Amino acid sequence: MLIETEKTPNPSTLKFLMGQTVMADGTRDFASPEDADISPLAEALFTLGDVTGVFFGSDFVSVTAGPGSEWSDVKPQVLSILLDHFSAGLPLFKPGSAGEIQIPPEEEVHDDPEDAEIVSQIKELIETRVRPAVANDGGDIIYRGFNRGIVFLKMQGACAGCPSSTATLKHGIESLLKHYVPEVVEVRAA
């Protein structure tokens, strides 16, 4: 099994391309060791001590190393865990753990039913233009809501905490959405 790595815009995060499906549907973000108790793979990665985030994408795993960690030290350990896990065909989630269920945060913005057409346009642009680009960088972006011209989005994986994520939101995504959906006046992180 060959595992390729790619740098991401976030210098703390590396993207590990597995050459096979990791998540058939959706994504999963683990921001702490406590979040990882439903996944043997995420748990194993957090036991390294230097890992502060794990993200499962369609065919990749993004791993974030903590401050002061050197990828030259952490990368071989991460590769070993990934290789062992996928070569053995181990499950991504513990049985009966509901690991693939994503629960939206309580502060989610509720869309006004009168904005249904606008919201539909925004979601389509995010799905077709934004998410693929963000996935290439080892992360994901989740639509959280639209209210009074403001689109609320959540960055995950390599994109969460990335030094350029604010610029990506403000200059890239906001510009794209404003261009195609004139009702959009601003994009904010949720």
Side-chain angles (χ1 to χ4, degrees):
M1 173 178 217
L2 176 66
I3 300 173
E4 296 181 45
T5 59
E6 286 183 4
K7 290 183 178 182
T8 70
N10 183 347
S12 299
T13 304
L14 275 181
K15 180 179 177 182
F16 295 84
L17 298 160
M18 304 309 302
Q20 68 183 57
T21 300
V22 175
M23 294 271 299
D25 294 308
T27 60
R28 186 61 199 236
D29 192 28
F30 301 95
S32 71
E34 294 76 29
D35 292 344
D37 67 350
I38 60 169
S39 170
L41 177 57
E43 266 185 326
L45 291 167
F46 274 107
T47 63
L48 295 176
D50 293 324
V51 172
T52 60
V54 176
F55 180 82
F56 299 154
S58 61
D59 63 348
F60 66 90
V61 175
S62 291
V63 178
T64 303
S69 299
E70 294 292 328
W71 271 112
S72 58
D73 298 329
V74 180
K75 184 178 173 181
Q77 296 172 321
V78 171
L79 283 168
S80 176
I81 289 172
L82 293 172
L83 186 61
D84 290 348
H85 185 90
F86 284 97
S87 293
L90 297 173
L92 207 51
F93 298 101
K94 293 178 182 175
S97 68
E100 295 183 14
I101 296 173
Q102 291 283 348
I103 301 171
E106 292 177 18
E107 70 270 2
E108 185 168 351
V109 176
H110 296 284
D111 298 326
D112 185 335
E114 291 182 17
D115 294 331
E117 188 174 323
I118 296 167
V119 168
S120 176
Q121 291 173 349
I122 292 167
K123 286 181 176 180
E124 181 178 345
L125 285 167
I126 290 169
E127 282 300 314
T128 60
R129 299 234 178 161
V130 178
R131 284 187 86 199
V134 173
N136 281 337
D137 287 340
D140 197 10
I141 190 158
I142 307 298
Y143 172 85
R144 287 291 179 217
F146 177 75
N147 188 353
R148 299 181 187 165
I150 302 170
V151 178
F152 296 90
L153 301 172
K154 180 178 180 180
M155 305 287 267
Q156 293 183 320
C159 300
C162 175
S164 61
S165 66
T166 301
T168 299
L169 276 176
K170 290 312 232 174
H171 302 295
I173 299 168
E174 184 175 275
S175 297
L176 174 81
L177 292 178
K178 282 180 173 181
H179 177 76
Y180 288 103
V181 186
E183 293 83 358
V184 172
V185 295
E186 184 181 357
V187 172
R188 289 187 192 166

